[in-house]
């Protein structure tokens, strides 16, 4: 795996959860809001990882298809 790919996944998710941990420890969010924000954090992080992974897979498959077309034309 490329470092650029890992950075695109790890940095945003780390920032989301670091913020949530800080807000929870500082007692800024408590009770119902804490649960709601943590669930929202997991959903956002999951969507982000899925988006980045899907884009990478799409680009890889597109390159493979182009390479196959190139071989067939030769």
């Amino acid at each position: 795996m490329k470092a650029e790919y890992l950075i695109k996944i790890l940095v945003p998710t780390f920032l989301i959860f670091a913020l949530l941990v800080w807000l929870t420890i500082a007692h800024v969010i408590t009770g119902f809001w804490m649960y709601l924000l943590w669930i929202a954090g997991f959903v956002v992080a999951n969507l982000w990882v899925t988006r980045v992974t899907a884009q990478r897979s799409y680009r890889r498959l597109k390159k493979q298809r182009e390479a196959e077309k190139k071989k067939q034309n030769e």
Side-chain angles (χ1 to χ4, degrees), residues 10-39:
L10 293 178
V11 170
T13 54
F14 177 76
L15 291 176
I16 289 170
F17 291 113
L19 178 67
L20 286 172
V21 167
W22 178 75
L23 291 173
T24 304
I25 291 172
H27 299 290
V28 175
I29 55 173
T30 57
F32 175 74
W33 288 108
M34 180 181 66
Y35 294 123
L36 187 66
L37 287 175
W38 273 92
I39 290 169

